[in-house]
């Protein structure tokens, strides 16, 4: 039996509202999860929130709330956001939940017993804003620290350290022996370059509870709480453990952004090794979005509000734009003009127009009854579906959409070339009109199946307009000829209303 396919996203910091970058990552993971289900595999898709830390503690205080009350309120918003994106996550982790905290504590206790931690005194410069110790390397040429670090103070404190450095060569060997462990390959090369050119320092895993109390207490020393990564990364395993009957671990894919590669590709594998667990099969790293060529930033107002876009244009328009515009890997740039142009060219005039005119003509000329099977577009449909299947298996979401749109374009050309509206005027062409109408309706059906992981609502609407009662949720159904002769379709309606903007 196939092991359940286990896919995760980064868990988002709960300070503030979700933005384009968060939405993109979750949609990417959702499409991969849906694609694997569509390929017939059982899937477990996990997303959630990273709720501990100084920033949350400070934000809660500033808001006059306890950190827990503050997190509870925001968590409700983030869960609603996951629904808005129609994510098919099977669980939603919050790092403040007992099931997670208990697992973290038992893991820490075991690792401590096995000698993976030690206590040491550290003196250094500390940025509370970034929750990080700075080194001499972080100084600007003028000797100051970048203003983005906020106030930097000199701190001397005891902390616990994880013996990370001892595993440097093992990690290099492991990454070299597993070419797909970090994807895309240029991210893998960056990690290997870093590991080969730097000495891996041990990892500080704690903060004194006197300075930061919004964290999970170390089970072996109550004066300290875990610091960031021994809490956050462990979610992937604490939640696997929370569903013991599913045998989830190891994860198949961790989808993350490029800024947290080091934590996932350097710290996490060594942590897992210490925990005696196998490594995830792949860390899939996506790039970062900008808007109109500049950094997304709340303070400058250069933001994309996913909820506002979805409310105005529909969820599938948003999902389509981010997936079609940006391949998994490089950085992307959202432009409002680009969004409108893809909406109008590819959705309204491309897919929407094809489905609407195909089904409207079938309704008008044949009373909505599907004619006998005919195979003129069968090879084009088979090409798109074979390619989509293969590309989905390699997480090539953008390329899969390009292939699917190859079929959309081909079918729209077919309408122009065969001109069914002219055939309909000539009774001698009745058989030819039947053929054309079958090819178009069946292409719409195949498209719904192929599109379903990407644009679930649109796929469902196409099936509903075809009056097909099953869900278009298995890629095997993309095989040509699924629409039976004599079947009566439903009411056509525009999928992507044209907008005059
Ligand atoms: N809490 C940590 C992750 C812990 S995972 C065990 C964190 N949170 S975050 O909220 O800052 O970021 C969550 C994810 O969103 C990260 O993968 C990050 O790369 C991604 N993005 C944040 N801004 C982004 C863009 N502008 N563009 C694309 N993704 C971005 O890091």
């Amino acid at each position: 039996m196939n092991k359940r396919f286990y896919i995760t996203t980064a868990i988002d910091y709960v300070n503030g509202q979700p933005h384009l970058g968060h939405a993109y990552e979750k949609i990417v993971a959702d499409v991969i999860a849906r694609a694997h289900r569509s390929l017939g595999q059982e899937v477990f898709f996990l997303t959630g929130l990273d709720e501990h830390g100084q920033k949350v503690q400070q934000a809660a205080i500033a808001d006059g709330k306890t950190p827990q009350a503050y997190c509870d309120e925001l968590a409700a918003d983030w869960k609603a956001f996951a629904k808005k994106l129609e994510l098919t996550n099977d669980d939603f982790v919050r790092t403040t939940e007992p099931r997670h905290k208990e697992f973290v504590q038992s893991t820490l206790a075991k690792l401590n017993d096995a000698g993976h931690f030690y206590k040491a005194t550290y003196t250094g410069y500390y940025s509370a804003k970034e929750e990080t110790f700075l080194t001499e390397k972080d100084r600007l040429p003028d000797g100051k620290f970048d203003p983005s670090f906020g106030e930097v103070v000199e701190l001397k404190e005891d902390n616990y350290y994880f013996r990370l450095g001892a595993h440097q060569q093992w990690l290099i060997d492991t990454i070299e022996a597993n070419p797909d462990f970090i994807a895309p390959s240029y991210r893998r090369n960056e990690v290997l370059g870093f590991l080969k050119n730097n000495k891996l320092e041990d990892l500080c895993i704690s903060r004194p509870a006197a300075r930061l109390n919004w964290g999970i207490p170390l089970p072996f020393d109550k004066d300290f709480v875990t610091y960031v990564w021994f809490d956050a990364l462990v979610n992937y395993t604490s939640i696997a453990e929370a569903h013991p009957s599913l045998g989830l671990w190891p994860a198949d894919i961790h989808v993350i952004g490029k800024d947290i590669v080091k934590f996932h590709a350097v710290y996490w594998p060594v942590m897992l090794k210490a925990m005696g667990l196998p490594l995830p099969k792949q860390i899939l790293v996506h790039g970062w979005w900008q808007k109109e060529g500049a950094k997304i930033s709340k303070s400058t107002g250069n933001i994309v509000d996913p909820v506002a876009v979805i409310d105005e244009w529909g969820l599938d328009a948003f999902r389509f734009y981010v997936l079609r515009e940006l391949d998994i890997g490089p950085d992307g740039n959202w432009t409002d003009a680009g969004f409108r142009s893809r909406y109008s060219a590819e959705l309204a005039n491309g897919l929407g127009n094809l489905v609407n005119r195909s089904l409207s003509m079938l309704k008008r000329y044949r009373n909505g009854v599907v004619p006998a099977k005919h195979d003129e577009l069968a090879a084009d449909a088979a090409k798109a579906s074979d390619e989509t299947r293969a590309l989905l298996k390699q997480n090539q979401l953008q390329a899969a959409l390009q292939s699917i749109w190859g079929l959309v374009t081909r079918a729209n050309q077919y309408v122009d070339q065969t001109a069914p509206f002219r055939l309909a005027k000539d009774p001698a062409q009745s058989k030819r009109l039947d053929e054309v109408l079958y090819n178009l309706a069946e292409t719409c059906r195949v498209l719904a199946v192929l599109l379903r992981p990407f644009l679930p609502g649109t796929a469902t609407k196409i099936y509903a307009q075809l009056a097909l009662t099953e869900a278009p949720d298995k890629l095997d159904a993309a095989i040509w000829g699924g629409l039976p002769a004599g079947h009566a379709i439903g009411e056509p309606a525009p999928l992507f209303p044209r907008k005059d903007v």
Side-chain angles (χ1 to χ4, degrees), residues 35-57:
H36 280 264
R37 289 194 198 99
S38 224
L39 287 160
Q41 222 173 340
E42 283 197 284
V43 170
F44 193 91
F45 168 24
L46 176 66
T47 187
L49 290 174
D50 189 355
E51 301 191 355
H52 290 120
Q54 190 142 322
K55 278 190 200 159
V56 175
Q57 186 174 316

Side-chain angles (χ1 to χ4, degrees), residues 252-272:
D252 290 84
I253 302 184
H254 291 320
V255 180
I256 57 156
K258 63 175 185 178
D259 57 321
I260 52 177
V261 174
K262 186 169 157 192
F263 309 104
H264 284 78
V266 177
Y267 302 169
W268 184 224
V270 180
M271 288 163 64
L272 284 165

Side-chain angles (χ1 to χ4, degrees), residues 252-391:
D252 290 84
I253 302 184
H254 291 320
V255 180
I256 57 156
K258 63 175 185 178
D259 57 321
I260 52 177
V261 174
K262 186 169 157 192
F263 309 104
H264 284 78
V266 177
Y267 302 169
W268 184 224
V270 180
M271 288 163 64
L272 284 165
K273 180 179 181 232
M275 289 156 75
L277 290 174
L279 304 194
K281 304 222 178 73
Q282 185 167 74
I283 295 163
L284 182 59
V285 185
H286 64 77
W288 267 41
W289 281 94
Q290 294 195 323
K291 186 191 174 206
E292 315 289 349
K295 188 173 184 255
I296 291 178
S297 151
K298 236 196 276 176
S299 50
T300 61
N302 193 43
I303 56 155
V304 178
D305 176 359
V307 173
V309 176
I310 292 166
D311 287 345
E312 186 177 351
W313 298 85
L315 172 63
D316 281 358
F318 180 75
R319 288 176 65 115
F320 177 75
Y321 178 75
V322 294
L323 295 163
R324 177 63 187 81
E325 181 67 25
L326 183 57
D327 196 12
I328 302 174
D331 288 338
N333 184 28
W334 175 293
T335 67
D336 289 340
F339 179 88
R340 283 195 290 270
S341 144
R342 283 202 187 279
Y343 181 90
S344 142
E346 287 155 81
L347 294 178
N349 297 331
L351 176 66
N353 189 31
L354 173 68
V355 174
N356 199 243
R357 54 185 180 159
S358 299
L359 303 196
S360 298
M361 288 189 292
L362 181 55
K363 200 83 190 165
R364 196 171 324 131
Y365 305 139
R366 292 294 179 262
N367 209 17
V369 177
V370 175
K373 178 168 174 281
H374 187 266
D375 299 338
E376 205 165 352
L377 291 179
D380 298 281
K383 177 171 179 282
S385 82
D386 291 348
E387 283 175 1
T388 300
R389 194 179 261 273
L391 290 164

Side-chain angles (χ1 to χ4, degrees), residues 10-13 19 21-22 25 50 232 236 257 259-260 286-289:
I11 49 172
D12 300 321
Y13 288 129
H19 64 52
H22 304 123
E25 176 175 288
D50 189 355
Y236 304 134
D259 57 321
I260 52 177
H286 64 77
W288 267 41
W289 281 94

Side-chain angles (χ1 to χ4, degrees), residues 133-155:
F133 278 100
L134 305 175
T135 66
E136 290 303 324
K137 277 196 235 153
D138 294 307
R139 285 190 194 276
L140 297 172
D142 64 3
K144 296 197 180 115
F145 290 108
D146 193 280
S148 65
F149 289 118
E151 191 191 357
V152 176
V153 292
E154 204 176 352
L155 264 190

Side-chain angles (χ1 to χ4, degrees), residues 175-249:
I175 296 172
E176 286 191 326
N178 294 283
D180 295 330
F181 179 54
I182 306 166
S185 58
Y186 49 88
R187 295 288 174 213
R188 173 176 185 266
N189 295 340
E190 280 168 20
V191 173
L192 279 173
F194 166 80
L195 285 171
K196 287 178 179 173
N197 294 311
N198 294 277
K199 186 176 154 350
L200 201 52
E201 303 289 338
D202 289 343
L203 177 69
C204 182
I205 65 145
S206 69
R207 287 290 179 264
R211 188 155 68 73
L212 170 73
N213 60 32
W214 188 233
I216 304 176
L218 296 189
F220 45 86
D221 190 338
K222 297 286 180 240
D223 291 338
F224 293 86
V225 300
T226 49
Y227 170 65
V228 184
W229 297 103
F230 249 95
D231 176 351
L233 286 163
V234 173
N235 90 86
Y236 304 134
T237 43
S238 64
I239 300 309
E241 181 79 6
H243 300 273
S245 63
L246 303 182
L248 294 178
W249 197 261

